[in-house]
Amino acid sequence: MQHIKVLPNYLAKRLERWRKTTFEDNREWYSHLAEHGQHPRAMFISCCDSRVDPVGMFEGEPGDFFLVRNVANLVPPYSPDRELHGTSAAIEYAVTVLGVSHIVILGHSGCGGVAACYEKCEGAGSKLDEDSSFISRWMDILTPGYERIKDIPGDRAERLQSLEHESIKVSLENLLTFPFVRDAVDNGRLAMHGAWTDIGSGELHAYDGSLDQFRPI
Amino acid sequence: MQHIKVLPNYLAKRLERWRKTTFEDNREWYSHLAEHGQHPRAMFISCCDSRVDPVGMFEGEPGDFFLVRNVANLVPPYSPDRELHGTSAAIEYAVTVLGVSHIVILGHSGCGGVAACYEKCEGAGSKLDEDSSFISRWMDILTPGYERIKDIPGDRAERLQSLEHESIKVSLENLLTFPFVRDAVDNGRLAMHGAWTDIGSGELHAYDGSLDQFRPI
Amino acid sequence: MQHIKVLPNYLAKRLERWRKTTFEDNREWYSHLAEHGQHPRAMFISCCDSRVDPVGMFEGEPGDFFLVRNVANLVPPYSPDRELHGTSAAIEYAVTVLGVSHIVILGHSGCGGVAACYEKCEGAGSKLDEDSSFISRWMDILTPGYERIKDIPGDRAERLQSLEHESIKVSLENLLTFPFVRDAVDNGRLAMHGAWTDIGSGELHAYDGSLDQFRPI
Amino acid sequence: MQHIKVLPNYLAKRLERWRKTTFEDNREWYSHLAEHGQHPRAMFISCCDSRVDPVGMFEGEPGDFFLVRNVANLVPPYSPDRELHGTSAAIEYAVTVLGVSHIVILGHSGCGGVAACYEKCEGAGSKLDEDSSFISRWMDILTPGYERIKDIPGDRAERLQSLEHESIKVSLENLLTFPFVRDAVDNGRLAMHGAWTDIGSGELHAYDGSLDQFRPI
């Protein structure tokens, strides 16, 4: 494939340093992980956003977190229609093969995907709002969340944050539509969690299901 | 939602430590990123596997890498069928909104998704090979890669590594089926790269498109 | 303008090589930067000296460092007198338009500007010490630093190094006299740093504000 | 100074790598430069913009280029008024102390300072256009250049490029108002040059004084 270029030099140099430091420090553990496979305790589902790194934030050591990153940390509803469902495949693998104990949905402030959904639902229009847009379709998952916040007063920033919270709640709700997830939760093998992080301040709001609200921790 | 528990304590404690160290060290930069948005130079598409962390390996600073993580680092073919396509949505956002300069497909040794595809194609059978399996369907993306390696001699480990390499090549090929990716590559705005890492040894094999082969760097 | 000659050949040849190598390797990123503008994380203020290159020393990739280079890495005090202030203009642009997260004052050993200030303050006299000298006036910015070191014992080399350290401290002090700098620091949007490099040994001394001293890193 | 933080970690790590690679490769030459001082062949006056690095573009080895970087690569007119003139001080040092053979004014596409001047002259207004703005005052140096291009037809992009070219020509004209520069040029000890680089394409336009025009090289 003539179009494919060798890894750019700035990345190759960084990798070289990683090998001499982090990898060397963890050599025996990487060797173990290669031989014995992964046994992660938690699965995270977070956003692709370059400013949010769950591994860094929660000090993930190699082998700790099975990690999905997609636009706006969304879980689609269970849909066994034989179509391609990348996030659902990851959830299936984490729950039925790896048997993770936790699934954490991690949302964040300033989410571009959530903003695109907001603009579309408000009828503001954008180039992402075309029929051919994958983002527009993907963000439709969040439409039920918009319905819940649309009549709440507030300025744009407040309403966007509410919708970001909804991106977490909708995902948690959709998670429970997967029979194998429901079963694992009901049998005490799996706990589900939601959290939202503010990029600028580093604050984390954890979702409390019993109160149905987000609270700083 | 009664089923949702507050974030477990072991994660909350780690987060608290992150806030006092890494976040504090980068406070001003996080503040900038919150206000000015993200402008990442590269997009990575890598696996959910808990043992492979692109941000760590390539020393990603906050804001550096727009990151998709799905099972087996796969890109499906361009399919504007109005279905949900999470990975395609992320690619669209990265290329058309953020204008990233690089897309790196990062594969790895011991990939469970690739192994599941291998077993299925070899007719070995597994519980993932059922009609209702999301993983089974998702890994069908890699079938064209299996066709290319199926007649190559070698033991199981060698053949699995070849198929892991194919997971990268198939994704690169599929990337080029997206019109906006093709356009950006043809206009010198986007470069595509592939690499495979060995978990146990820390080695990286970079794909060289002009030679159509992987070579250690 | 008859006096202006076309770029000399030795520079044109080097540029040609840069275009075929470094530029080509980073073509997509330069294209991004041209279209999306600059979003540098840090501003450096360093000396014009040909032996000190902050971009090289700190491996600055294109777009990383907004960079002022003037004689002796000096920041003048805030002076809104409607006169021409080139360095103040650059600081204003970096802080109020670009929103950089870091300003690093980088001094160095063997600084000719610092030496000229030292000779003048010691009454040694030099041709730079004339009324008409721009350097003499410019280096007056450092006079408060000389006052602090003048009674410290030591040989000329030691005292010059102390004055070089002062060139960094005076600049940091002056930086804080700019209202928009002070405001950004107080609001956690901007961090200020000082460092001094030894040309011959490659050592770097970082300024630690809490201890008010330079320490090798 | 409590406000000053130690050098951020991401820069310290990069410096460490520089020391082990580039510095080590040039150790003897750095040692020489520390002992014998600098004897640069050329002075560059270029912009602070993070996307333009004269040392990289013209493959400057340690000791090659005495380098001023200020907003919009401007040289103010000779003004022996005993005020602070940082750029004039650097020119004085380069020409009268170091005796450089070349001064190159290097401009570039997408210059924020030039754009600010353009908006102001066109009466478009901006927050940089206030009395208290250092940038506004500094960019007044370019006003004579605007006068020359203001009646030339063209769209905004074409007119901005013309004004970027003028930033180089005005600086060259102002350089010749310095008696010691004029003297060095007249006596064949100093040659002056102008060039403009396009960030996105890597092209360089060299100024040809005999034709009074910029031409790609």
Side-chain angles (χ1 to χ4, degrees):
Chain A
M1 284 186 282
Q2 301 294 332
H3 291 88
I4 312 306
K5 294 188 176 181
V6 175
L7 198 69
N9 195 38
Y10 87 104
L11 293 176
K13 284 195 299 182
R14 291 183 183 187
L15 180 78
E16 186 56 25
R17 191 166 56 194
W18 172 81
R19 271 207 285 239
K20 288 179 176 165
T21 54
T22 306
F23 178 78
E24 204 50 55
D25 285 347
N26 295 279
R27 172 179 283 284
E28 295 79 6
W29 182 233
Y30 278 114
S31 177
H32 174 101
L33 289 170
E35 190 173 345
H36 295 270
Q38 62 177 331
H39 299 85
R41 180 169 175 184
M43 175 188 201
F44 275 79
I45 299 174
S46 75
C47 185
C48 301
D49 194 295
S50 61
R51 301 166 295 179
V52 180
D53 173 29
V55 179
M57 286 178 70
F58 295 97
E59 302 194 325
E61 290 292 316
D64 273 1
F65 304 149
F66 189 77
L67 178 49
V68 164
R69 293 183 66 167
N70 63 31
V71 174
N73 42 270
L74 290 176
V75 174
Y78 177 68
S79 179
D81 56 8
R82 303 184 62 84
E83 297 294 329
L84 292 177
H85 293 290
T87 297
S88 303
I91 294 165
E92 180 184 282
Y93 194 81
V95 175
T96 67
V97 177
L98 299 175
V100 296
S101 299
H102 303 278
I103 298 181
V104 183
I105 310 290
L106 179 67
H108 69 96
S109 65
C111 182
V114 170
C117 175
Y118 183 81
E119 305 303 347
K120 182 182 177 184
C121 290
E122 298 267 299
S126 85
K127 72 172 176 175
L128 296 177
D129 187 18
E130 292 164 14
D131 275 8
S132 61
S133 167
F134 294 110
I135 297 168
S136 182
R137 275 299 289 130
W138 178 251
M139 292 310 304
D140 284 349
I141 297 171
L142 184 51
T143 304
Y146 176 78
E147 291 301 314
R148 288 197 292 248
I149 66 108
K150 71 178 177 185
D151 296 326
I152 298 175
D155 61 21
R156 186 173 185 276
E158 291 166 330
R159 287 162 63 80
L160 273 176
Q161 184 179 314
S162 294
L163 193 53
E164 286 162 0
H165 285 177
E166 288 296 329
S167 76
I168 297 157
K169 290 172 62 179
V170 164
S171 290
L172 290 168
E173 289 162 357
N174 287 344
L175 263 179
L176 281 170
T177 62
F178 287 72
F180 48 81
V181 170
R182 186 66 189 230
D183 184 61
V185 170
D186 287 347
N187 286 281
R189 289 183 283 110
L190 174 65
M192 291 163 49
H193 315 273
W196 174 91
T197 180
D198 184 274
I199 288 172
S201 72
E203 270 192 29
L204 193 92
H205 296 184
Y207 180 68
D208 185 330
S210 63
L211 301 173
D212 188 25
Q213 65 183 40
F214 285 82
R215 292 189 304 176
I217 63 167
Chain B
M1 283 185 282
Q2 301 296 329
H3 292 87
I4 313 305
K5 295 188 175 177
V6 176
L7 197 70
N9 197 37
Y10 86 104
L11 293 176
K13 282 196 297 184
R14 290 185 185 185
L15 180 77
E16 188 54 24
R17 193 166 53 195
W18 171 80
R19 272 206 284 239
K20 288 180 175 163
T21 53
T22 306
F23 178 78
E24 204 50 53
D25 285 348
N26 294 279
R27 173 180 281 284
E28 295 83 6
W29 183 231
Y30 279 114
S31 175
H32 174 103
L33 290 170
E35 191 174 343
H36 295 266
Q38 62 176 330
H39 299 85
R41 180 168 177 179
M43 176 189 201
F44 275 79
I45 298 174
S46 75
C47 185
C48 301
D49 194 296
S50 62
R51 301 167 293 177
V52 180
D53 174 27
V55 179
M57 286 177 69
F58 294 97
E59 301 194 324
E61 290 290 316
D64 272 2
F65 304 148
F66 189 79
L67 178 49
V68 164
R69 292 183 66 167
N70 63 30
V71 174
N73 43 270
L74 290 176
V75 174
Y78 177 68
S79 178
D81 55 10
R82 301 183 62 82
E83 297 295 329
L84 294 178
H85 293 289
T87 297
S88 303
I91 295 165
E92 180 184 282
Y93 194 79
V95 174
T96 69
V97 177
L98 299 175
V100 297
S101 299
H102 303 279
I103 299 180
V104 182
I105 309 289
L106 180 66
H108 68 95
S109 65
C111 182
V114 169
C117 175
Y118 183 81
E119 305 305 347
K120 181 182 178 186
C121 290
E122 298 267 301
S126 85
K127 72 172 176 176
L128 296 176
D129 187 17
E130 293 163 12
D131 274 7
S132 62
S133 165
F134 293 110
I135 297 169
S136 181
R137 274 299 289 130
W138 178 251
M139 291 309 305
D140 283 350
I141 297 171
L142 183 52
T143 304
Y146 176 79
E147 291 302 314
R148 287 197 293 247
I149 65 107
K150 70 177 178 186
D151 296 327
I152 297 176
D155 62 20
R156 186 174 183 277
E158 290 168 329
R159 286 162 64 81
L160 273 175
Q161 183 179 313
S162 293
L163 193 53
E164 285 162 359
H165 285 178
E166 288 296 327
S167 76
I168 296 156
K169 291 172 62 178
V170 164
S171 290
L172 290 168
E173 289 162 356
N174 287 344
L175 264 179
L176 281 171
T177 63
F178 287 73
F180 46 81
V181 170
R182 186 63 188 234
D183 184 61
V185 170
D186 287 346
N187 287 283
R189 289 184 284 111
L190 174 64
M192 292 162 51
H193 315 273
W196 174 91
T197 180
D198 184 275
I199 288 174
S201 71
E203 269 193 30
L204 193 92
H205 296 183
Y207 180 67
D208 184 330
S210 63
L211 301 174
D212 189 27
Q213 64 183 40
F214 285 83
R215 292 188 303 174
I217 65 166
Chain C
M1 285 188 283
Q2 302 294 329
H3 292 88
I4 313 306
K5 296 188 175 177
V6 175
L7 197 71
N9 197 38
Y10 86 104
L11 293 176
K13 281 196 297 184
R14 291 184 185 187
L15 180 78
E16 186 56 24
R17 192 165 55 192
W18 171 80
R19 270 206 285 240
K20 288 180 176 163
T21 54
T22 306
F23 178 79
E24 203 51 52
D25 284 348
N26 294 279
R27 169 179 284 283
E28 295 82 6
W29 183 232
Y30 278 113
S31 175
H32 174 103
L33 290 170
E35 190 174 345
H36 295 265
Q38 62 176 330
H39 299 85
R41 180 169 178 180
M43 175 189 201
F44 275 79
I45 299 175
S46 76
C47 185
C48 302
D49 194 295
S50 61
R51 300 166 294 177
V52 180
D53 174 28
V55 179
M57 286 177 69
F58 294 97
E59 302 194 324
E61 290 289 316
D64 272 0
F65 304 148
F66 189 77
L67 178 48
V68 164
R69 292 183 66 166
N70 63 30
V71 174
N73 42 271
L74 289 176
V75 174
Y78 177 68
S79 179
D81 56 9
R82 300 185 62 83
E83 297 295 329
L84 293 178
H85 294 289
T87 297
S88 303
I91 294 165
E92 180 184 283
Y93 194 80
V95 174
T96 68
V97 177
L98 299 176
V100 296
S101 298
H102 303 279
I103 299 181
V104 183
I105 310 288
L106 179 66
H108 68 95
S109 65
C111 181
V114 170
C117 175
Y118 183 81
E119 305 303 349
K120 181 182 177 187
C121 289
E122 297 267 300
S126 84
K127 71 171 177 176
L128 296 177
D129 187 17
E130 292 163 13
D131 275 7
S132 61
S133 167
F134 294 111
I135 297 169
S136 181
R137 276 299 290 129
W138 177 251
M139 292 308 306
D140 284 349
I141 297 171
L142 183 51
T143 304
Y146 176 78
E147 291 301 315
R148 288 197 292 248
I149 66 107
K150 71 178 177 186
D151 297 326
I152 298 175
D155 61 19
R156 185 173 184 278
E158 290 166 330
R159 287 162 64 79
L160 274 176
Q161 184 179 314
S162 294
L163 193 53
E164 285 162 0
H165 285 178
E166 288 297 328
S167 76
I168 296 156
K169 290 173 61 179
V170 165
S171 290
L172 290 168
E173 288 161 357
N174 287 344
L175 263 179
L176 281 170
T177 64
F178 287 73
F180 47 81
V181 170
R182 185 65 187 233
D183 184 62
V185 169
D186 287 346
N187 287 282
R189 288 185 283 111
L190 174 65
M192 291 162 48
H193 315 273
W196 174 92
T197 180
D198 184 275
I199 289 172
S201 72
E203 269 192 28
L204 193 93
H205 296 184
Y207 180 69
D208 185 329
S210 63
L211 301 174
D212 188 26
Q213 65 183 41
F214 285 83
R215 293 188 302 175
I217 63 169
Chain D
M1 284 187 282
Q2 302 295 330
H3 291 88
I4 313 305
K5 295 188 175 180
V6 175
L7 197 71
N9 195 39
Y10 86 104
L11 293 176
K13 284 195 297 182
R14 291 184 184 186
L15 180 78
E16 187 55 26
R17 191 166 54 193
W18 172 80
R19 271 206 284 240
K20 287 179 176 164
T21 53
T22 307
F23 178 78
E24 205 51 55
D25 285 348
N26 294 280
R27 173 178 283 283
E28 296 81 6
W29 181 231
Y30 278 114
S31 177
H32 173 101
L33 289 170
E35 190 173 345
H36 295 271
Q38 61 176 330
H39 298 86
R41 180 169 176 182
M43 176 189 201
F44 275 79
I45 298 174
S46 76
C47 186
C48 302
D49 194 297
S50 62
R51 301 167 295 178
V52 180
D53 173 28
V55 179
M57 285 178 69
F58 294 98
E59 301 195 323
E61 289 292 316
D64 273 0
F65 304 149
F66 189 79
L67 178 50
V68 165
R69 293 183 65 167
N70 63 30
V71 174
N73 43 272
L74 289 176
V75 175
Y78 177 68
S79 177
D81 55 9
R82 302 184 60 81
E83 298 293 331
L84 293 177
H85 294 290
T87 297
S88 303
I91 295 165
E92 180 184 281
Y93 195 81
V95 174
T96 69
V97 177
L98 299 174
V100 297
S101 299
H102 303 278
I103 299 181
V104 182
I105 310 290
L106 179 66
H108 69 96
S109 65
C111 183
V114 170
C117 175
Y118 183 81
E119 305 303 348
K120 183 183 176 184
C121 290
E122 298 265 301
S126 85
K127 70 171 177 175
L128 297 177
D129 187 17
E130 293 164 13
D131 274 8
S132 60
S133 167
F134 294 111
I135 297 169
S136 183
R137 276 299 289 129
W138 177 252
M139 292 309 305
D140 285 349
I141 297 172
L142 183 51
T143 304
Y146 177 79
E147 291 302 314
R148 287 197 293 250
I149 66 107
K150 72 178 178 185
D151 296 327
I152 298 175
D155 60 21
R156 187 174 184 276
E158 290 166 331
R159 287 162 63 80
L160 273 175
Q161 184 179 314
S162 294
L163 193 53
E164 286 162 0
H165 286 176
E166 288 297 328
S167 77
I168 296 156
K169 291 173 61 178
V170 165
S171 290
L172 290 168
E173 288 161 359
N174 287 345
L175 263 179
L176 282 170
T177 64
F178 287 72
F180 46 83
V181 170
R182 185 65 188 231
D183 185 61
V185 169
D186 286 347
N187 286 281
R189 288 184 284 111
L190 175 64
M192 291 162 50
H193 315 273
W196 174 93
T197 179
D198 184 276
I199 288 173
S201 71
E203 271 193 28
L204 193 93
H205 296 183
Y207 180 68
D208 185 330
S210 63
L211 302 174
D212 188 27
Q213 64 182 41
F214 285 83
R215 293 188 303 175
I217 64 168

